[in-house]
Structures are given as structure tokens and as C-alpha cells.
Amino acid sequence: MRVPCRLTLLCSGFAVLELLRNLSFSKIAQLEAIGGSRGSHEWLQCKSRAKPGPFRQTQGTRHRLLPHTLKDWLAAWYFGLESPAPPHLYAWGRASPFGPGARRQEIPGRIKVFPLTPMADLLDRDGRGFHILTPVLESAALSKAAGTRVYMKLENVQPTGSFKIRGIGYFCQEAAKKDCKRFVCSTGGNAGFATAYAAKKLGIPATIIVPTSTPQATVQKLEEQGTEVQVFGKVWDDAYAKALALAETDGWVSVHPFDHPLIWQGHASMVRELKDLLGHKPGAIVLAVGGGGLLAGVVAGLQDVGWQDVPIVAVETKGADSFNAALRAGRLVTLPEITSVAKCLGAKTVSARALECARECQVISQLVEDVEAVQAVELFLDDERMLVQPACGAPLALLYTGRVQQLQREGHLNPDLDSIVIIVCGGSSIQLAGLQALKTQLGMK
């Protein structure tokens, strides 16, 4: 029996979707995500197959666009109501971006089967259920500034506003399996939001320790998550010492913002997504470095997908440059103080794993001025209509100021660089008023 149906959905300001029409329920319905994306969308196709297998190569007909962050929910909701037998969701192993000049095509690839129910099976296929799969978008403005195609991995659209939920969410899930009674986390903002979010999802209380340099708006947002917030110390290192003391309480677990193997493993998922969504190896990855958690996660991800030869440009602001100082010294260096306005990069000592990463992969350390980082935040707001914090402005500044071309001239990057991926790491601790205050503090107009 063929059941005619037409489902139209308006998804958060994205395009109106026509997804399913004349779908046959005489066999198990097969929903496949075709290898291709345009921004935060994926092409979908529907057809029937009698016996779903663990792997199968297939081709099909494109339908409409669906924001992939809602795709799994829609499929589960729709088929759960209508289909007589449990269907399966298929996600391609490779995809192709539909950027300027790119050809819309289906990329053959192996297809992995995930049951649609329960929903946790979809969300936890990487072992971490609190982050979302974030889009990869080509930026015309950044491409023009860098002289090559630039793709943005938009981690700022995570539920907590930064990439931190990937690793910290995974860490908290694992800790919950061991009868954790309370999480305690020291943070300048992003790690606290991730811990509070994961704790709330797990039904476990959390205490967040923030230094006095943390904006009051950030403290208020953390309290609104239902967590206990304590303000202690001048910089993050002081707050961390306090968190370690509290974690001595029986059943309390300290959530390190960046220095733990489970956290790196969680962050590595963004590179696996990048391979799926981009479909080809980028010429370089540009990211911010604070304590080194993002760097360690990206290196782990590159090793997972066999992209160890992709150079990483690790960017810090002057005054929060513990990684650069460690590389120059050949050992860990503790800065006397953090003087940069990019407080989320403000670890006096980078993690030992960050130095190891520099030995395992090609890591190019770069520094930018605070003014350049804040200018980049403002330019990015104009160009991409997204407000990010100065820590994220540091790698953006590298592109806006022409440093990519300089690195090419100096031989650090391939002169025939075909593409760059920049990790837009987050914006959970910034508001327009805060941006204006930073400009005033730095004497900017």
C-alpha cells in the first residue's frame, strides 16, 4: 500500500522543507543522508528496502533541504508515528560542500546504520550525547581576506555556545557512570556553561568556580542554569586551585576545562564531522589556543581520520601566550600574569599534552594583539552576523590581517593552499555591551 504524504517544516529561519511524498510503507522505509551539504543543511532521500544491512552502497534521488541538527529528530518523530516497523537512519561517511564553484553531486560512500529509536542511539554514536553536529560554511569575506577558500566550523552554535560541550559533556557522562555526586569546575566561562549544561542533563548538581575577572553577565547566566557559582581568585589558575580543594569531598568530581584524555577524545569528534561534511582534506586548520584542550582534541581527531599531515595554525593573544612561550623554551612555562583581554585563553601554563601535540603534528604558533582580536570580532559580526568572544577573535585576526599570506611567503604554509578551516570556537561570554567595553578599554573607536 502506498501512502501519499507531504510534510512541510519551517526550521528556525531555514528554508521551507518538503521531505516525504508518496512514501511506501510496504517495506521498511529507508532514510538516507546524501553525501553533500550546503551550510548547515544536508540533502535527503527516501526509498524502500526490504532488509536493512549493516553497510550498503547506494544512490538515490535528492529531495529538499533539512537542517542536519534537526534531521535525526524529524526522522525519529515522523517514522515513529507512521511506520509499522522500526526504520533505520543512514549517515554517509563522506560529503561534499556546496560552496561557490562546487558541483552539486552525490559522493559514493559507505553508509552506517543507526536505529532511530531510542533517540539516545543517534545522539551517542560518538559516545557523547550533549553536543550537536555543527555546520561547515564557506565564508566569502574570510576567503577574500586569506586569499583562499575558508570554511568555518561553527562551534559557537553548540547548545552551550562553544566547542567545550563536546569534551566536557563526554567527561561528565563517564563520571556519572561512576556514581559522581557533584561536579566542580573552574572556568572563565565556556567550560562552566558546558559543565552546568551536562550536569543538568544528568541530574547531578554542579559548583562552578570563576575568577574575579569573569563578567557579571557570565556569572548570572551560569546561575540561571541552576548551578552554584563561587567567585574566587584573580585568574583561572586561582579558581582551579579552589576547585581542586573542593573536589577532595567524597563523591565530588573535578572537571578540568582542558586537560584530560576524555575531554580531548570528546573534542576529536569535530574533526570526524569535518571529514564527513567537507569531503576533502583542508590545506590547514586555524584555531585558538588557551590551555590546549582544543588543540589536543583536533590533533586526536586528525590522527583518527588519517589527516596527521594537515598543518595547524595555533593562535594566541599577547599576554595570554603560554603555549607560544612553552614552544620557544622547549618546556612548560608559567606566565607571571594574564594581561590579555581574551580571558578565555588565560591559562598561565599550557597543558603538557599541547607540547606533545606540537611534536606529533605540524603546529605553527602565532600571536596577535588584543586590538587585532577585538577588531576581528567586530568584522566577523559585520560579515557573518555572529558575535564571538576575543578568544575566538584571535584566529579570525590571523585571517583578517593577512598573516596567512605571510606564512605562505615564509614557507610555513603551502603557497598553493587550496582551503583553510577555521574553528569558530565560541561566543558564550560576550554581549554587545561587553564588546563596546573592550573597545573602550583598548582605546578603540
Side-chain angles (χ1 to χ4, degrees):
M1 174 181 178
R2 297 181 65 82
V3 182
C5 63
R6 185 183 180 96
L7 182 63
T8 302
L9 178 67
L10 180 63
C11 297
S12 304
F14 293 105
V16 175
L17 162 73
E18 289 181 6
L19 176 62
L20 304 168
R21 68 173 85 180
N22 298 324
L23 181 66
S24 173
F25 291 120
S26 59
K27 302 175 183 179
I28 295 178
Q30 171 180 318
L31 179 63
E32 300 170 335
I34 287 193
S37 66
R38 184 175 189 174
S40 59
H41 304 88
E42 290 182 350
W43 294 98
L44 298 183
Q45 66 178 11
C46 294
K47 67 179 185 180
S48 294
R49 181 162 60 81
K51 295 181 179 180
F55 291 96
R56 182 181 177 89
Q57 293 210 358
T58 155
Q59 294 180 345
T61 306
R62 298 191 191 102
H63 286 259
R64 299 297 182 183
L65 288 171
L66 173 66
H68 62 66
T69 55
L70 298 178
K71 177 191 65 185
D72 294 350
W73 170 84
L74 175 62
W77 170 78
Y78 183 83
F79 286 113
L81 286 177
E82 299 293 339
S83 63
H88 291 75
L89 177 71
Y90 294 75
W92 287 90
R94 294 198 295 135
S96 173
F98 295 156
R103 185 160 58 95
R104 293 184 182 182
Q105 60 181 353
E106 296 171 10
I107 307 296
R110 284 204 160 193
I111 306 172
K112 191 171 183 179
V113 182
F114 303 109
L116 281 175
T117 54
M119 197 59 188
D121 290 345
L122 290 174
L123 296 176
D124 290 340
R125 58 181 179 264
D126 281 326
R128 0 183 143 71
F130 298 142
H131 69 266
I132 65 170
L133 190 142
T134 56
V136 176
L137 303 181
E138 183 173 358
S139 168
L142 291 174
S143 297
K144 181 179 179 181
T148 187
R149 286 182 301 168
V150 174
Y151 295 99
M152 306 175 294
K153 187 72 168 89
L154 296 177
E155 290 299 298
N156 58 314
V157 303
Q158 289 288 355
T160 61
S162 85
F163 74 97
K164 294 278 190 180
I165 188 57
R166 292 180 180 272
I168 288 178
Y170 184 39
F171 177 92
C172 290
Q173 284 177 304
E174 293 301 303
K177 296 175 183 177
K178 300 175 182 178
D179 298 324
C180 168
K181 297 177 182 177
R182 178 179 286 268
F183 296 112
V184 56
C185 178
S186 54
T187 176
N190 290 326
F193 287 118
T195 302
Y197 184 86
K200 188 173 183 180
K201 289 287 187 180
L202 293 166
I204 298 173
T207 298
I208 310 298
I209 314 297
V210 300
T212 55
S213 57
T214 306
Q216 183 57 38
T218 299
V219 174
Q220 183 176 345
K221 285 174 66 176
L222 285 168
E223 290 175 337
E224 289 171 356
Q225 292 287 323
T227 60
E228 177 190 7
V229 181
Q230 296 183 21
V231 181
F232 181 85
K234 184 178 180 181
V235 295
W236 170 79
D237 300 79
D238 302 329
Y240 178 56
K242 174 73 169 179
L244 286 179
L246 290 175
E248 293 295 323
T249 306
D250 184 48
W252 286 36
V253 174
S254 174
V255 182
H256 200 288
F258 54 82
D259 196 6
H260 195 282
L262 290 177
I263 291 176
W264 309 330
Q265 185 178 341
H267 294 340
S269 60
M270 76 177 72
V271 180
R272 294 192 289 271
E273 289 177 13
L274 184 62
K275 184 177 182 181
D276 289 341
L277 295 173
L278 195 59
H280 62 83
K281 187 187 298 185
I285 294 177
V286 180
L287 51 77
V289 176
L294 176 57
L295 173 63
V298 168
V299 167
L302 292 176
Q303 292 170 340
D304 284 348
V305 303
W307 283 1
Q308 298 96 318
D309 57 335
V310 174
I312 300 170
V313 184
V315 191
E316 299 167 283
T317 51
K318 293 179 180 178
D321 50 348
S322 58
F323 178 62
N324 182 268
L327 283 181
R328 287 188 284 108
R331 57 179 176 79
L332 294 180
V333 172
T334 300
L335 301 178
E337 60 180 334
I338 300 298
T339 58
S340 171
V341 299
K343 300 304 181 185
C344 287
L345 300 181
K348 286 184 178 181
T349 309
V350 76
S351 67
R353 176 59 189 153
L355 272 184
E356 294 173 2
C357 289
R359 301 186 189 105
E360 296 172 11
C361 294
Q362 181 187 357
V363 179
I364 306 164
S365 175
Q366 293 287 289
L367 300 179
V368 298
E369 301 283 353
D370 276 347
V371 170
E372 292 175 318
V374 174
Q375 285 174 339
V377 168
E378 198 166 30
L379 288 170
F380 191 68
L381 178 59
D382 286 341
D383 292 336
E384 304 297 341
R385 300 164 302 284
M386 289 182 283
L387 180 61
V388 296
Q389 56 205 49
C392 188
L396 290 169
L398 186 94
L399 305 185
Y400 279 124
T401 58
R403 302 293 175 81
V404 169
Q405 294 89 327
Q406 181 180 337
L407 290 172
Q408 289 176 294
R409 290 192 297 268
E410 294 172 352
H412 297 295
L413 290 177
N414 190 333
D416 299 321
L417 201 64
D418 63 338
S419 64
I420 289 173
V421 170
I422 182 168
I423 308 295
V424 182
C425 53
S428 62
S429 300
I430 187 71
Q431 298 83 27
L432 280 175
L435 175 59
Q436 186 56 53
L438 288 173
K439 291 175 63 179
T440 300
Q441 178 182 342
L442 295 171
M444 300 168 60
K445 294 182 179 179

